PDB file of all heavy atoms in Angstrom:
ATOM      1  N   LEU I   1      -6.699 -24.999  -0.627  1.00  0.00           N
ATOM      2  CA  LEU I   1      -6.320 -24.711  -1.968  1.00  0.00           C
ATOM      3  C   LEU I   1      -7.260 -23.576  -2.486  1.00  0.00           C
ATOM      4  O   LEU I   1      -8.431 -23.514  -2.230  1.00  0.00           O
ATOM      5  CB  LEU I   1      -6.454 -25.827  -2.967  1.00  0.00           C
ATOM      6  CG  LEU I   1      -5.609 -27.144  -2.480  1.00  0.00           C
ATOM      7  CD1 LEU I   1      -5.659 -28.115  -3.571  1.00  0.00           C
ATOM      8  CD2 LEU I   1      -4.147 -26.767  -2.147  1.00  0.00           C
ATOM      9  N   GLY I   2      -6.568 -22.589  -3.185  1.00  0.00           N
ATOM     10  CA  GLY I   2      -7.319 -21.382  -3.703  1.00  0.00           C
ATOM     11  C   GLY I   2      -7.386 -20.222  -2.707  1.00  0.00           C
ATOM     12  O   GLY I   2      -7.947 -19.180  -3.116  1.00  0.00           O
ATOM     13  N   ASP I   3      -6.944 -20.420  -1.480  1.00  0.00           N
ATOM     14  CA  ASP I   3      -6.823 -19.267  -0.623  1.00  0.00           C
ATOM     15  C   ASP I   3      -5.744 -18.263  -1.130  1.00  0.00           C
ATOM     16  O   ASP I   3      -4.797 -18.738  -1.775  1.00  0.00           O
ATOM     17  CB  ASP I   3      -6.396 -19.705   0.758  1.00  0.00           C
ATOM     18  CG  ASP I   3      -7.574 -20.318   1.584  1.00  0.00           C
ATOM     19  OD1 ASP I   3      -8.628 -20.274   1.117  1.00  0.00           O
ATOM     20  OD2 ASP I   3      -7.270 -21.025   2.571  1.00  0.00           O
ATOM     21  N   TYR I   4      -5.951 -17.030  -0.772  1.00  0.00           N
ATOM     22  CA  TYR I   4      -4.915 -15.993  -1.208  1.00  0.00           C
ATOM     23  C   TYR I   4      -3.962 -15.820  -0.079  1.00  0.00           C
ATOM     24  O   TYR I   4      -4.167 -15.890   1.030  1.00  0.00           O
ATOM     25  CB  TYR I   4      -5.618 -14.677  -1.532  1.00  0.00           C
ATOM     26  CG  TYR I   4      -6.439 -14.767  -2.766  1.00  0.00           C
ATOM     27  CD1 TYR I   4      -7.827 -14.883  -2.764  1.00  0.00           C
ATOM     28  CD2 TYR I   4      -5.927 -14.511  -3.981  1.00  0.00           C
ATOM     29  CE1 TYR I   4      -8.651 -14.947  -3.870  1.00  0.00           C
ATOM     30  CE2 TYR I   4      -6.694 -14.506  -5.190  1.00  0.00           C
ATOM     31  CZ  TYR I   4      -7.980 -14.799  -5.157  1.00  0.00           C
ATOM     32  OH  TYR I   4      -8.755 -14.821  -6.260  1.00  0.00           O
ATOM     33  N   ALA I   5      -2.731 -15.407  -0.446  1.00  0.00           N
ATOM     34  CA  ALA I   5      -1.633 -15.070   0.486  1.00  0.00           C
ATOM     35  C   ALA I   5      -1.239 -13.574   0.111  1.00  0.00           C
ATOM     36  O   ALA I   5      -1.100 -13.231  -1.069  1.00  0.00           O
ATOM     37  CB  ALA I   5      -0.440 -15.939   0.410  1.00  0.00           C
ATOM     38  N   TYR I   6      -0.973 -12.851   1.101  1.00  0.00           N
ATOM     39  CA  TYR I   6      -0.677 -11.441   0.929  1.00  0.00           C
ATOM     40  C   TYR I   6       0.683 -11.069   1.646  1.00  0.00           C
ATOM     41  O   TYR I   6       1.020 -11.605   2.736  1.00  0.00           O
ATOM     42  CB  TYR I   6      -1.782 -10.466   1.511  1.00  0.00           C
ATOM     43  CG  TYR I   6      -3.094 -10.637   0.861  1.00  0.00           C
ATOM     44  CD1 TYR I   6      -4.043 -11.481   1.270  1.00  0.00           C
ATOM     45  CD2 TYR I   6      -3.380  -9.860  -0.328  1.00  0.00           C
ATOM     46  CE1 TYR I   6      -5.278 -11.707   0.734  1.00  0.00           C
ATOM     47  CE2 TYR I   6      -4.566 -10.075  -0.978  1.00  0.00           C
ATOM     48  CZ  TYR I   6      -5.487 -10.909  -0.515  1.00  0.00           C
ATOM     49  OH  TYR I   6      -6.699 -11.021  -1.139  1.00  0.00           O
ATOM     50  N   PHE I   7       1.367 -10.137   1.034  1.00  0.00           N
ATOM     51  CA  PHE I   7       2.463  -9.557   1.765  1.00  0.00           C
ATOM     52  C   PHE I   7       2.120  -9.028   3.006  1.00  0.00           C
ATOM     53  O   PHE I   7       1.138  -8.198   3.193  1.00  0.00           O
ATOM     54  CB  PHE I   7       3.256  -8.432   0.846  1.00  0.00           C
ATOM     55  CG  PHE I   7       4.058  -8.937  -0.242  1.00  0.00           C
ATOM     56  CD1 PHE I   7       3.636  -8.467  -1.549  1.00  0.00           C
ATOM     57  CD2 PHE I   7       5.091  -9.811  -0.159  1.00  0.00           C
ATOM     58  CE1 PHE I   7       4.312  -8.820  -2.659  1.00  0.00           C
ATOM     59  CE2 PHE I   7       5.781 -10.144  -1.285  1.00  0.00           C
ATOM     60  CZ  PHE I   7       5.445  -9.740  -2.580  1.00  0.00           C
ATOM     61  N   GLU I   8       2.872  -9.369   4.189  1.00  0.00           N
ATOM     62  CA  GLU I   8       2.655  -8.745   5.412  1.00  0.00           C
ATOM     63  C   GLU I   8       3.634  -7.509   5.588  1.00  0.00           C
ATOM     64  O   GLU I   8       4.748  -7.727   5.680  1.00  0.00           O
ATOM     65  CB  GLU I   8       2.919  -9.807   6.617  1.00  0.00           C
ATOM     66  CG  GLU I   8       2.551  -9.180   7.971  1.00  0.00           C
ATOM     67  CD  GLU I   8       1.143  -9.258   8.331  1.00  0.00           C
ATOM     68  OE1 GLU I   8       0.283  -9.607   7.416  1.00  0.00           O
ATOM     69  OE2 GLU I   8       0.856  -8.955   9.487  1.00  0.00           O
ATOM     70  N   SER I   9       3.092  -6.269   5.460  1.00  0.00           N
ATOM     71  CA  SER I   9       3.898  -5.233   5.284  1.00  0.00           C
ATOM     72  C   SER I   9       3.247  -3.921   5.909  1.00  0.00           C
ATOM     73  O   SER I   9       1.979  -3.677   5.590  1.00  0.00           O
ATOM     74  CB  SER I   9       4.314  -4.864   3.832  1.00  0.00           C
ATOM     75  OG  SER I   9       4.988  -3.767   3.639  1.00  0.00           O
ATOM     76  N   ASP I  10       3.922  -3.212   6.812  1.00  0.00           N
ATOM     77  CA  ASP I  10       3.359  -2.008   7.235  1.00  0.00           C
ATOM     78  C   ASP I  10       3.503  -0.819   6.401  1.00  0.00           C
ATOM     79  O   ASP I  10       4.290  -0.877   5.321  1.00  0.00           O
ATOM     80  CB  ASP I  10       4.071  -1.609   8.666  1.00  0.00           C
ATOM     81  CG  ASP I  10       3.180  -0.842   9.493  1.00  0.00           C
ATOM     82  OD1 ASP I  10       2.162  -0.391   9.075  1.00  0.00           O
ATOM     83  OD2 ASP I  10       3.594  -0.418  10.687  1.00  0.00           O
ATOM     84  N   CYS I  11       2.813   0.297   6.649  1.00  0.00           N
ATOM     85  CA  CYS I  11       2.913   1.527   5.881  1.00  0.00           C
ATOM     86  C   CYS I  11       3.434   2.599   6.824  1.00  0.00           C
ATOM     87  O   CYS I  11       2.835   2.845   7.816  1.00  0.00           O
ATOM     88  CB  CYS I  11       1.482   1.846   5.305  1.00  0.00           C
ATOM     89  SG  CYS I  11       1.370   3.408   4.406  1.00  0.00           S
ATOM     90  N   TYR I  12       4.541   3.194   6.308  1.00  0.00           N
ATOM     91  CA  TYR I  12       5.122   4.280   7.188  1.00  0.00           C
ATOM     92  C   TYR I  12       5.904   5.244   6.378  1.00  0.00           C
ATOM     93  O   TYR I  12       6.297   4.950   5.259  1.00  0.00           O
ATOM     94  CB  TYR I  12       5.923   3.717   8.256  1.00  0.00           C
ATOM     95  CG  TYR I  12       7.069   2.762   7.946  1.00  0.00           C
ATOM     96  CD1 TYR I  12       8.291   3.123   7.412  1.00  0.00           C
ATOM     97  CD2 TYR I  12       6.783   1.370   8.093  1.00  0.00           C
ATOM     98  CE1 TYR I  12       9.277   2.197   7.053  1.00  0.00           C
ATOM     99  CE2 TYR I  12       7.686   0.405   7.746  1.00  0.00           C
ATOM    100  CZ  TYR I  12       8.927   0.855   7.153  1.00  0.00           C
ATOM    101  OH  TYR I  12       9.914  -0.043   6.879  1.00  0.00           O
ATOM    102  N   GLU I  13       6.187   6.374   6.966  1.00  0.00           N
ATOM    103  CA  GLU I  13       7.063   7.374   6.359  1.00  0.00           C
ATOM    104  C   GLU I  13       8.441   7.169   6.689  1.00  0.00           C
ATOM    105  O   GLU I  13       8.773   6.697   7.688  1.00  0.00           O
ATOM    106  CB  GLU I  13       6.594   8.823   6.782  1.00  0.00           C
ATOM    107  CG  GLU I  13       5.232   9.173   6.239  1.00  0.00           C
ATOM    108  CD  GLU I  13       4.903  10.690   6.686  1.00  0.00           C
ATOM    109  OE1 GLU I  13       5.974  11.521   6.729  1.00  0.00           O
ATOM    110  OE2 GLU I  13       3.771  11.057   6.848  1.00  0.00           O
ATOM    111  N   LEU I  14       9.337   7.501   5.721  1.00  0.00           N
ATOM    112  CA  LEU I  14      10.750   7.366   5.960  1.00  0.00           C
ATOM    113  C   LEU I  14      11.545   8.404   5.187  1.00  0.00           C
ATOM    114  O   LEU I  14      11.043   8.937   4.226  1.00  0.00           O
ATOM    115  CB  LEU I  14      11.288   5.889   5.673  1.00  0.00           C
ATOM    116  CG  LEU I  14      11.418   5.605   4.131  1.00  0.00           C
ATOM    117  CD1 LEU I  14      12.326   4.292   4.055  1.00  0.00           C
ATOM    118  CD2 LEU I  14      10.025   5.239   3.625  1.00  0.00           C
ATOM    119  N   GLY I  15      12.766   8.650   5.674  1.00  0.00           N
ATOM    120  CA  GLY I  15      13.661   9.574   4.893  1.00  0.00           C
ATOM    121  C   GLY I  15      13.064  10.964   4.746  1.00  0.00           C
ATOM    122  O   GLY I  15      12.290  11.493   5.613  1.00  0.00           O
ATOM    123  N   ASP I  16      13.339  11.583   3.651  1.00  0.00           N
ATOM    124  CA  ASP I  16      12.958  12.880   3.346  1.00  0.00           C
ATOM    125  C   ASP I  16      11.627  12.999   2.583  1.00  0.00           C
ATOM    126  O   ASP I  16      11.541  13.193   1.380  1.00  0.00           O
ATOM    127  CB  ASP I  16      14.065  13.613   2.581  1.00  0.00           C
ATOM    128  CG  ASP I  16      13.636  15.051   2.294  1.00  0.00           C
ATOM    129  OD1 ASP I  16      12.744  15.605   2.956  1.00  0.00           O
ATOM    130  OD2 ASP I  16      14.286  15.658   1.327  1.00  0.00           O
ATOM    131  N   GLY I  17      10.601  12.567   3.332  1.00  0.00           N
ATOM    132  CA  GLY I  17       9.228  12.531   2.618  1.00  0.00           C
ATOM    133  C   GLY I  17       8.775  11.502   1.784  1.00  0.00           C
ATOM    134  O   GLY I  17       8.025  11.681   0.834  1.00  0.00           O
ATOM    135  N   PHE I  18       9.190  10.270   2.119  1.00  0.00           N
ATOM    136  CA  PHE I  18       8.850   9.140   1.419  1.00  0.00           C
ATOM    137  C   PHE I  18       7.894   8.291   2.237  1.00  0.00           C
ATOM    138  O   PHE I  18       7.807   8.296   3.390  1.00  0.00           O
ATOM    139  CB  PHE I  18      10.142   8.299   1.076  1.00  0.00           C
ATOM    140  CG  PHE I  18      11.105   8.906   0.162  1.00  0.00           C
ATOM    141  CD1 PHE I  18      12.138   9.744   0.658  1.00  0.00           C
ATOM    142  CD2 PHE I  18      11.019   8.664  -1.250  1.00  0.00           C
ATOM    143  CE1 PHE I  18      13.040  10.351  -0.227  1.00  0.00           C
ATOM    144  CE2 PHE I  18      11.878   9.249  -2.121  1.00  0.00           C
ATOM    145  CZ  PHE I  18      12.951  10.144  -1.594  1.00  0.00           C
ATOM    146  N   ILE I  19       7.130   7.437   1.460  1.00  0.00           N
ATOM    147  CA  ILE I  19       6.147   6.492   2.041  1.00  0.00           C
ATOM    148  C   ILE I  19       6.545   5.166   1.480  1.00  0.00           C
ATOM    149  O   ILE I  19       6.753   4.939   0.319  1.00  0.00           O
ATOM    150  CB  ILE I  19       4.696   6.818   1.726  1.00  0.00           C
ATOM    151  CG1 ILE I  19       4.260   8.162   2.366  1.00  0.00           C
ATOM    152  CG2 ILE I  19       3.815   5.634   2.236  1.00  0.00           C
ATOM    153  CD1 ILE I  19       2.867   8.605   1.920  1.00  0.00           C
ATOM    154  N   LYS I  20       6.613   4.129   2.433  1.00  0.00           N
ATOM    155  CA  LYS I  20       6.860   2.745   2.101  1.00  0.00           C
ATOM    156  C   LYS I  20       5.619   1.983   2.446  1.00  0.00           C
ATOM    157  O   LYS I  20       5.104   2.039   3.538  1.00  0.00           O
ATOM    158  CB  LYS I  20       8.075   2.234   2.827  1.00  0.00           C
ATOM    159  CG  LYS I  20       8.283   0.723   2.660  1.00  0.00           C
ATOM    160  CD  LYS I  20       7.773  -0.055   3.891  1.00  0.00           C
ATOM    161  CE  LYS I  20       7.899  -1.501   3.724  1.00  0.00           C
ATOM    162  NZ  LYS I  20       7.055  -2.303   4.726  1.00  0.00           N
ATOM    163  N   ALA I  21       5.051   1.096   1.461  1.00  0.00           N
ATOM    164  CA  ALA I  21       4.003   0.290   1.793  1.00  0.00           C
ATOM    165  C   ALA I  21       3.811  -0.853   0.770  1.00  0.00           C
ATOM    166  O   ALA I  21       4.469  -0.654  -0.304  1.00  0.00           O
ATOM    167  CB  ALA I  21       2.777   1.054   1.980  1.00  0.00           C
ATOM    168  N   LYS I  22       3.021  -1.852   0.913  1.00  0.00           N
ATOM    169  CA  LYS I  22       2.479  -2.635  -0.193  1.00  0.00           C
ATOM    170  C   LYS I  22       1.324  -2.005  -0.733  1.00  0.00           C
ATOM    171  O   LYS I  22       0.832  -1.019  -0.195  1.00  0.00           O
ATOM    172  CB  LYS I  22       2.144  -4.063   0.343  1.00  0.00           C
ATOM    173  CG  LYS I  22       0.811  -4.046   1.225  1.00  0.00           C
ATOM    174  CD  LYS I  22       0.413  -5.489   1.518  1.00  0.00           C
ATOM    175  CE  LYS I  22      -0.900  -5.547   2.219  1.00  0.00           C
ATOM    176  NZ  LYS I  22      -2.144  -5.113   1.416  1.00  0.00           N
ATOM    177  N   ALA I  23       0.935  -2.395  -1.882  1.00  0.00           N
ATOM    178  CA  ALA I  23      -0.271  -2.027  -2.635  1.00  0.00           C
ATOM    179  C   ALA I  23      -0.388  -0.537  -2.909  1.00  0.00           C
ATOM    180  O   ALA I  23      -1.483   0.027  -3.189  1.00  0.00           O
ATOM    181  CB  ALA I  23      -1.521  -2.460  -1.712  1.00  0.00           C
ATOM    182  N   LEU I  24       0.679   0.201  -2.937  1.00  0.00           N
ATOM    183  CA  LEU I  24       0.623   1.637  -3.420  1.00  0.00           C
ATOM    184  C   LEU I  24       0.051   1.708  -4.765  1.00  0.00           C
ATOM    185  O   LEU I  24      -0.543   2.651  -5.214  1.00  0.00           O
ATOM    186  CB  LEU I  24       2.001   2.263  -3.280  1.00  0.00           C
ATOM    187  CG  LEU I  24       2.431   2.555  -1.793  1.00  0.00           C
ATOM    188  CD1 LEU I  24       3.943   2.922  -1.789  1.00  0.00           C
ATOM    189  CD2 LEU I  24       1.728   3.690  -1.206  1.00  0.00           C
ATOM    190  N   ASP I  25       0.357   0.642  -5.551  1.00  0.00           N
ATOM    191  CA  ASP I  25      -0.279   0.451  -6.826  1.00  0.00           C
ATOM    192  C   ASP I  25      -1.591  -0.426  -6.633  1.00  0.00           C
ATOM    193  O   ASP I  25      -1.422  -1.575  -6.379  1.00  0.00           O
ATOM    194  CB  ASP I  25       0.746  -0.334  -7.777  1.00  0.00           C
ATOM    195  CG  ASP I  25       0.104  -0.796  -9.113  1.00  0.00           C
ATOM    196  OD1 ASP I  25      -0.918  -0.213  -9.463  1.00  0.00           O
ATOM    197  OD2 ASP I  25       0.742  -1.756  -9.733  1.00  0.00           O
ATOM    198  N   ASP I  26      -2.679   0.088  -6.611  1.00  0.00           N
ATOM    199  CA  ASP I  26      -3.081   1.515  -6.992  1.00  0.00           C
ATOM    200  C   ASP I  26      -3.914   2.114  -5.849  1.00  0.00           C
ATOM    201  O   ASP I  26      -4.906   2.740  -6.149  1.00  0.00           O
ATOM    202  CB  ASP I  26      -3.735   1.480  -8.300  1.00  0.00           C
ATOM    203  CG  ASP I  26      -4.061   2.870  -8.843  1.00  0.00           C
ATOM    204  OD1 ASP I  26      -3.309   3.781  -8.499  1.00  0.00           O
ATOM    205  OD2 ASP I  26      -5.097   3.029  -9.461  1.00  0.00           O
ATOM    206  N   ARG I  27      -3.654   1.839  -4.661  1.00  0.00           N
ATOM    207  CA  ARG I  27      -4.508   2.459  -3.564  1.00  0.00           C
ATOM    208  C   ARG I  27      -4.271   3.948  -3.550  1.00  0.00           C
ATOM    209  O   ARG I  27      -5.163   4.614  -2.995  1.00  0.00           O
ATOM    210  CB  ARG I  27      -4.067   1.790  -2.256  1.00  0.00           C
ATOM    211  CG  ARG I  27      -4.284   0.290  -2.117  1.00  0.00           C
ATOM    212  CD  ARG I  27      -5.759  -0.171  -2.352  1.00  0.00           C
ATOM    213  NE  ARG I  27      -5.783  -1.590  -2.702  1.00  0.00           N
ATOM    214  CZ  ARG I  27      -5.406  -2.586  -1.933  1.00  0.00           C
ATOM    215  NH1 ARG I  27      -5.014  -2.471  -0.614  1.00  0.00           N
ATOM    216  NH2 ARG I  27      -5.594  -3.883  -2.455  1.00  0.00           N
ATOM    217  N   ILE I  28      -3.138   4.446  -4.104  1.00  0.00           N
ATOM    218  CA  ILE I  28      -3.095   5.915  -4.330  1.00  0.00           C
ATOM    219  C   ILE I  28      -4.081   6.475  -5.080  1.00  0.00           C
ATOM    220  O   ILE I  28      -4.690   7.440  -4.869  1.00  0.00           O
ATOM    221  CB  ILE I  28      -1.632   6.321  -4.730  1.00  0.00           C
ATOM    222  CG1 ILE I  28      -0.575   6.075  -3.610  1.00  0.00           C
ATOM    223  CG2 ILE I  28      -1.558   7.741  -5.264  1.00  0.00           C
ATOM    224  CD1 ILE I  28       0.876   6.412  -4.159  1.00  0.00           C
ATOM    225  N   GLY I  29      -4.320   5.812  -6.275  1.00  0.00           N
ATOM    226  CA  GLY I  29      -5.392   6.236  -7.193  1.00  0.00           C
ATOM    227  C   GLY I  29      -6.736   6.149  -6.545  1.00  0.00           C
ATOM    228  O   GLY I  29      -7.573   7.062  -6.711  1.00  0.00           O
ATOM    229  N   CYS I  30      -6.970   5.158  -5.688  1.00  0.00           N
ATOM    230  CA  CYS I  30      -8.226   5.075  -5.074  1.00  0.00           C
ATOM    231  C   CYS I  30      -8.412   6.122  -4.116  1.00  0.00           C
ATOM    232  O   CYS I  30      -9.550   6.730  -4.032  1.00  0.00           O
ATOM    233  CB  CYS I  30      -8.268   3.628  -4.282  1.00  0.00           C
ATOM    234  SG  CYS I  30      -8.413   2.236  -5.371  1.00  0.00           S
ATOM    235  N   MET I  31      -7.403   6.508  -3.355  1.00  0.00           N
ATOM    236  CA  MET I  31      -7.509   7.630  -2.359  1.00  0.00           C
ATOM    237  C   MET I  31      -7.861   8.878  -3.120  1.00  0.00           C
ATOM    238  O   MET I  31      -8.635   9.665  -2.651  1.00  0.00           O
ATOM    239  CB  MET I  31      -6.147   7.713  -1.627  1.00  0.00           C
ATOM    240  CG  MET I  31      -6.139   8.980  -0.733  1.00  0.00           C
ATOM    241  SD  MET I  31      -4.516   9.339  -0.020  1.00  0.00           S
ATOM    242  CE  MET I  31      -3.625   9.904  -1.452  1.00  0.00           C
ATOM    243  N   LEU I  32      -7.148   9.166  -4.248  1.00  0.00           N
ATOM    244  CA  LEU I  32      -7.356  10.437  -4.904  1.00  0.00           C
ATOM    245  C   LEU I  32      -8.869  10.457  -5.561  1.00  0.00           C
ATOM    246  O   LEU I  32      -9.422  11.548  -5.519  1.00  0.00           O
ATOM    247  CB  LEU I  32      -6.334  10.588  -6.113  1.00  0.00           C
ATOM    248  CG  LEU I  32      -4.910  10.733  -5.672  1.00  0.00           C
ATOM    249  CD1 LEU I  32      -4.023  10.667  -6.849  1.00  0.00           C
ATOM    250  CD2 LEU I  32      -4.731  12.019  -4.864  1.00  0.00           C
ATOM    251  N   LEU I  33      -9.332   9.382  -5.986  1.00  0.00           N
ATOM    252  CA  LEU I  33     -10.737   9.291  -6.421  1.00  0.00           C
ATOM    253  C   LEU I  33     -11.694   9.535  -5.246  1.00  0.00           C
ATOM    254  O   LEU I  33     -12.649  10.338  -5.417  1.00  0.00           O
ATOM    255  CB  LEU I  33     -11.146   8.028  -7.105  1.00  0.00           C
ATOM    256  CG  LEU I  33     -10.472   7.594  -8.421  1.00  0.00           C
ATOM    257  CD1 LEU I  33     -11.216   6.399  -9.034  1.00  0.00           C
ATOM    258  CD2 LEU I  33     -10.298   8.786  -9.353  1.00  0.00           C
ATOM    259  N   ILE I  34     -11.481   9.021  -4.115  1.00  0.00           N
ATOM    260  CA  ILE I  34     -12.386   9.237  -2.987  1.00  0.00           C
ATOM    261  C   ILE I  34     -12.324  10.726  -2.558  1.00  0.00           C
ATOM    262  O   ILE I  34     -13.446  11.290  -2.318  1.00  0.00           O
ATOM    263  CB  ILE I  34     -11.900   8.374  -1.712  1.00  0.00           C
ATOM    264  CG1 ILE I  34     -12.033   6.879  -2.085  1.00  0.00           C
ATOM    265  CG2 ILE I  34     -12.564   8.739  -0.521  1.00  0.00           C
ATOM    266  CD1 ILE I  34     -11.463   5.973  -0.983  1.00  0.00           C
ATOM    267  N   GLU I  35     -11.093  11.328  -2.620  1.00  0.00           N
ATOM    268  CA  GLU I  35     -11.057  12.789  -2.290  1.00  0.00           C
ATOM    269  C   GLU I  35     -11.864  13.599  -3.226  1.00  0.00           C
ATOM    270  O   GLU I  35     -12.554  14.531  -2.895  1.00  0.00           O
ATOM    271  CB  GLU I  35      -9.585  13.230  -2.365  1.00  0.00           C
ATOM    272  CG  GLU I  35      -8.765  12.660  -1.186  1.00  0.00           C
ATOM    273  CD  GLU I  35      -7.299  13.015  -1.327  1.00  0.00           C
ATOM    274  OE1 GLU I  35      -6.924  13.556  -2.315  1.00  0.00           O
ATOM    275  OE2 GLU I  35      -6.431  12.715  -0.360  1.00  0.00           O
TER     276      GLU I  35
END
């Protein structure tokens, strides 16, 4: 009890320049800050 569960989901490109993933909110922001 109290353990966390997470979506099991890969990150990949699809279509005409799209990215699909979990946690894009807000790992995109984290990436931009790191840069």
Side-chain angles (χ1 to χ4, degrees):
L1 302 188
D3 285 347
Y4 290 98
Y6 296 93
F7 287 120
E8 184 79 357
S9 177
D10 202 356
C11 175
Y12 51 80
E13 293 184 30
L14 72 162
D16 183 19
F18 294 88
I19 294 175
K20 170 266 176 192
K22 74 172 182 68
L24 288 167
D25 174 22
D26 183 31
R27 303 290 161 73
I28 287 180
C30 292
M31 178 189 70
L32 294 172
L33 291 197
I34 292 169
E35 291 176 352

